[in-house]
Amino acid sequence: VSGNVGRGSRLVEQASNNIIFSEGDHLVTVVGADNLIVVHTADATLVCPIDKAQEIKAAVKRVSGLADGARFL
């Protein structure tokens, strides 16, 4: 489907305009969803509508404030 970009192991079905990154051998699958940012790393997973991407910075700041937050960044 058009407009999907990314890196790593991913499978996209009936979805468009998604940004999908998967680290390592983890498969990320997006079905029937549009306009998402999906990032999977060894320690954390982020799913966010593209139109809310500016709020990721605030979420990262909140995570860094957690007692064990540094391990997720």
Side-chain angles (χ1 to χ4, degrees):
V1 178
S2 68
N4 295 300
V5 297
R7 181 182 63 187
S9 299
R10 61 195 184 279
L11 175 65
V12 181
E13 296 287 337
Q14 300 175 8
S16 62
N17 301 318
N18 295 294
I19 302 169
I20 307 161
F21 290 93
S22 179
E23 190 176 85
D25 292 331
H26 188 89
L27 174 66
V28 171
T29 302
V30 175
V31 179
D34 301 325
N35 305 308
L36 292 177
I37 299 169
V38 181
V39 179
H40 175 82
T41 68
D43 297 319
T45 301
L46 167 75
V47 179
C48 176
I50 288 174
D51 64 355
K52 300 288 184 181
Q54 70 280 359
E55 296 180 29
I56 294 172
K57 185 176 180 178
V60 169
K61 187 174 181 179
R62 286 192 300 275
V63 169
S64 68
L66 297 174
D68 61 345
R71 72 182 190 102
F72 299 114
L73 303 176

